[in-house]
Amino acid sequence: MKTIKVAALSLALFSHLALADVSPLTVVKDYMSAWNAHDSAKAAQYLANDVVYYDAAAGTPVKGKNNAEKDVIGAFIKAVPDLTWKMTSKPVYDHDTIAFRWEFSGKNSGEWAGAPATNNPIKFEGVSYITVNNGKITWQGDYYDSKKLDEELKPQAK
């Protein structure tokens, strides 16, 4: 029994150390890869349970991992199932906070906020500020021209 307790304690200690060794930049790059794999559940694995996620299109912070997965990540992946989210600048970071410019593109072939797909191509740029603690994203702010996105999502005149 003592051996099992020592093994369990060692596993817990080394698991925590392994998370601490993961750089915030690695976490963000892996998180973006999950978005680009169009897997909201995998992307959400990088979020802390109490994450606060501010997205310009939402307008108010979304609180909690499950809400962020459903209301932000899942909503974008559903609306733009072929999305590409890529860094367009060298990330700037200080300890646990990373900032970078990005480009988001794809085709609106899925429902967006209750509106049917327009099949319009979309492409917009923005900036993200992300805080990572113990290998998890605890805060994310995505800033972009949401009015431009709204215009791109409007049905085309026939």
Side-chain angles (χ1 to χ4, degrees), residues 7-83:
L9 182 60
S10 296
L11 181 62
L13 176 64
F14 288 119
S15 295
H16 181 69
L17 290 175
L19 281 178
D21 287 344
V22 176
S23 78
L25 184 56
T26 299
V27 170
V28 169
K29 286 183 175 182
D30 290 346
Y31 171 65
M32 290 179 74
S33 291
W35 270 78
N36 288 319
H38 314 120
D39 188 339
S40 60
K42 185 175 180 182
Q45 289 178 351
Y46 294 95
L47 304 177
N49 288 332
D50 60 349
V51 67
V52 175
Y53 194 136
Y54 175 80
D55 182 271
T60 58
V62 174
K63 296 179 181 177
K65 176 180 175 176
N66 293 336
N67 293 331
E69 177 183 353
K70 183 181 75 153
D71 298 338
V72 183
I73 302 168
F76 271 99
I77 291 173
K78 184 177 181 182
V80 189
D82 68 341
L83 70 84

